[in-house]
């Protein structure tokens, strides 16, 4: 059980970093932190609609994986002893 917990913990760290990266790659919608750092000036040059949709799919996939790993860690710690 300890090996599975270690694997899940490593997977949690990897998916957490990927989730942070994919969320930060999204195009700013205006009026937020992205505009503060110049994001409003380069919104037309950043990405097309297809790239944004693919990034949305990747972000959702990573978020679902992250949630499943957290649930597995919770179940292992509760029932694994």
């Amino acid at each position: 059980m300890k090996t599975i917990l270690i694997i899940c913990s490593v997977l949690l760290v990897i998916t957490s970093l990927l989730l942070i990266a994919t969320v930060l790659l999204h195009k700013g919608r205006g009026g937020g932190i992205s505009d503060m750092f110049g994001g409003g000036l380069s919104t037309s040059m950043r990405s097309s609609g297809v790239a944004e949709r693919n990034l949305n799919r990747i972000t959702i996939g990573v978020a679902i994986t992250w949630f499943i790993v957290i649930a597995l860690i919770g179940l292992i710690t509760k029932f694994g002893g």
Side-chain angles (χ1 to χ4, degrees), residues 26 29 49-62:
H26 279 281
R29 300 285 186 233
V50 175
E52 189 71 22
R53 276 184 277 157
N54 288 336
L55 188 59
N56 286 339
R57 291 179 186 137
I58 292 169
T59 304
I60 290 170
V62 171

Side-chain angles (χ1 to χ4, degrees), residues 16-48:
S16 296
L17 293 174
L18 282 174
L19 191 60
I20 290 169
T22 56
V23 167
L24 289 176
L25 283 174
H26 279 281
K27 183 168 46 173
R29 300 285 186 233
I33 295 178
S34 64
D35 277 348
M36 188 186 317
F37 297 110
L41 300 174
S42 63
T43 54
S44 62
M45 297 184 292
R46 285 196 53 176
S47 64
S48 66

